[in-house]
Amino acid sequence: MDLDALVSLALNNGASDLHLEAGLPAALRIRGALRTVGEPIAGGVLLEMARAAIGEEQWARFLERRSFDFSKTIHGVRCRINVLQTSHGVGFAIRLLATFQATVEKLNLHPDLKKLVTPTHGLVLVSGPTGCGKSSTLAALIQEINLTDTRHIVTIESPIEYTFRPRRAYIRQREVGRDTPSFEQALLDALREDPDVLMVGEMRDPETMRLTLSASETGHLVLATVHSATCAEALQRVVSAFPAEIQSSVAGQLADCLLGVISQRLHFRADLKIRVPECEILMASHAVKNFIRNRDFFKIISALETGAEHGMWTFQRYRNWLDNRTNWSIPGQSPEAPDSESAEAPAPAPGLPAFPITPKAAGPEKRPGPTPSLPAPKHPARIEIEPADSEFGRILKRPGEQS
């Protein structure tokens, strides 16, 4: 079974993620739970899959870094793919993204979130654990601007997950590693590119955070994601990422530029058979800004509980709103093509070899027939993996040994 067939299997079974590991059967994450399917996959098969998916031009980078991130459209669905070296060989972690253009309505988010992208400058943070839909919410906010306002939007992502077709806005999307060497360089470049809106896929390190805060202070609307469980933790994480001696000034900078924070998690609704986002929404009121400036993050919880008049939502109030909601957007009820002109990444510009784009596979795309539902595994017992050296390990060169 090739990668296309495995993605098709995941898609037909409603999986959000597909995991492949040498010596193990494929694992699908369905409604938040992992489920294995089929027979164990040999390491050599995964090695060939990885080489074909990454492409010869980028294969040397994978051998050097032992991991590679990229996005690819397979069977009409955009996939975010991470190929990694493990103790058994090569593994895949594949996120299947929504086949429709994300909007606030289609993601079943509260319409109040649209107010966060009305200002022309400031910082909006989207937080939550891994796999909670932060990228989708961010894409929905960008699409709201795209549909309603004539602004110049620059996105910096690793990799690009949702492709946008400009409607009223003028949109440029840059992928780290392909179009720019790093988030830091892209943010420095963006300040000279006359943007109105900046979207930062993820704030991973203090330098990216510093440049993001600076951009939000210089007349730009900046949207970014950060990993945290609550709004207060998101703000505390940004401040604590910096050295102790400058945390006070960073807290003041964050308080001055902050517009709001969205913290979300996904909850499966058995009545609808879909997962919907549950959100905590913090608006930057005067009280909240003072708490941030004084680094009293523990007081933000009380501000959320008493801040309904300022448009704030606790998880409990938001859950009550979901329970009373009657109009739901159910994926698949109204089929819709992705809002992108092309299924694949654009061709590289001539004379720019520094960050080459992975070439498109030659020939027409193979589309397998209908995929059956998940079969029951033949061996329900624990899977034992032989401790032998993998084929990938035998061919892998250390960085210093490459010619």
Side-chain angles (χ1 to χ4, degrees):
M1 186 176 287
D2 60 10
L3 187 60
D4 285 8
L6 287 167
V7 171
S8 178
L9 175 68
L11 180 64
N12 291 344
N13 283 278
S16 61
D17 296 85
L18 167 65
H19 296 280
L20 307 175
E21 172 74 359
L24 293 175
L28 307 181
R29 187 175 293 278
I30 302 174
R31 299 171 185 170
L34 282 178
R35 182 178 176 186
T36 58
V37 53
E39 297 296 319
I41 304 174
V45 174
L46 287 178
L47 178 63
E48 292 304 316
M49 282 188 193
R51 191 157 195 159
I54 293 174
E56 293 299 326
E57 291 185 14
Q58 301 282 16
W59 185 246
R61 288 185 62 198
F62 170 68
L63 292 180
E64 179 182 357
R65 300 173 56 185
R66 311 297 203 272
S67 67
F68 194 81
D69 292 307
F70 62 102
S71 57
K72 184 179 178 66
T73 300
I74 303 175
H75 295 294
V77 60
R78 190 78 169 170
C79 297
R80 185 183 72 195
I81 304 174
N82 174 263
V83 184
L84 65 154
Q85 178 193 350
T86 74
S87 59
H88 303 292
V90 173
F92 284 77
I94 303 173
R95 168 67 51 82
L96 280 68
L97 304 172
T99 56
F100 56 86
Q101 179 60 58
T103 64
V104 170
E105 290 79 13
K106 290 176 183 176
L107 295 181
N108 295 303
L109 292 165
H110 197 284
D112 276 2
L113 268 65
K114 296 180 181 181
K115 299 177 182 178
L116 290 170
V117 295
T118 302
T120 57
H121 64 277
L123 176 65
V124 176
L125 294 177
V126 180
S127 69
T130 300
C132 71
K134 296 188 296 295
S135 299
S136 299
T137 298
L138 211 58
L141 295 177
I142 292 293
Q143 184 68 354
E144 176 64 23
I145 300 173
N146 186 26
L147 296 174
T148 60
D149 206 351
T150 53
R151 297 198 235 179
H152 179 199
I153 302 172
V154 176
T155 75
I156 307 166
E157 305 168 71
S158 177
I160 291 173
E161 299 184 20
Y162 290 90
T163 55
F164 298 97
R165 180 186 301 169
R167 300 299 188 183
R168 298 192 66 189
Y170 192 90
I171 303 179
R172 286 188 168 111
Q173 294 184 261
R174 305 189 72 191
E175 184 169 301
V176 174
R178 188 193 72 182
D179 309 316
T180 180
S182 64
F183 279 100
E184 293 84 354
Q185 185 61 50
L187 282 165
L188 289 171
D189 295 341
L191 298 180
R192 297 187 292 272
E193 293 162 358
D194 186 36
D196 298 302
V197 180
L198 274 173
M199 191 265 270
V200 183
E202 186 176 356
M203 295 197 300
R204 300 177 178 174
D205 53 76
E207 184 61 16
T208 302
M209 293 178 182
R210 183 186 68 81
L211 293 170
T212 300
L213 290 173
S214 297
S216 62
E217 283 189 320
T218 53
H220 307 91
L221 176 63
V222 182
L223 292 80
T225 68
V226 63
H227 289 277
S228 64
T230 66
C231 293
E233 287 182 16
L235 297 169
Q236 188 170 10
R237 178 167 185 179
V238 172
V239 174
S240 62
F242 292 85
E245 58 270 19
I246 64 170
Q247 287 183 7
S248 294
S249 61
V250 171
Q253 190 178 16
L254 179 60
D256 290 338
C257 66
L258 185 70
L259 294 173
V261 185
I262 305 166
S263 181
Q264 69 179 53
R265 56 200 183 196
L266 293 178
H267 175 69
F268 177 68
R269 296 284 301 244
D271 54 333
L272 303 171
K273 293 182 171 56
I274 60 171
R275 290 199 295 171
V276 298
E278 292 182 349
C279 298
E280 181 181 73
I281 305 173
L282 176 71
M283 304 300 290
S285 63
H286 291 299
V288 169
K289 286 178 178 287
N290 285 332
F291 294 153
I292 298 171
R293 190 172 286 107
N294 297 326
R295 290 185 285 173
D296 293 330
F297 299 107
F298 66 95
K299 295 182 179 179
I300 289 177
I301 299 173
S302 61
L304 276 165
E305 293 174 348
T306 60
E309 63 180 17
H310 297 290
M312 301 190 202
W313 292 83
T314 62
F315 280 119
Q316 184 59 54
R317 279 207 305 272
Y318 198 93
R319 194 177 300 114
N320 293 338
W321 173 76
L322 289 175
D323 291 339
N324 294 324
R325 181 170 181 166
T326 56
N327 57 323
W328 295 94
S329 174
I330 309 296
Q333 283 190 344
S334 55
E336 174 188 353
D339 193 28
S340 58
E341 300 284 359
S342 172
E344 295 290 345
L352 296 176
F355 306 103
I357 300 173
T358 303
K360 190 190 300 186
E365 181 183 12
K366 292 173 60 181
R367 292 183 179 269
T371 306
S373 299
L374 295 179
K378 295 182 180 179
H379 307 289
R382 182 177 61 181
I383 299 173
E384 298 291 345
I385 302 176
E386 294 294 331
D389 291 339
S390 68
E391 182 178 353
F392 178 72
R394 289 196 294 271
I395 72 163
L396 185 63
K397 297 180 180 179
R398 297 182 182 276
E401 296 174 351
Q402 294 189 20
S403 55

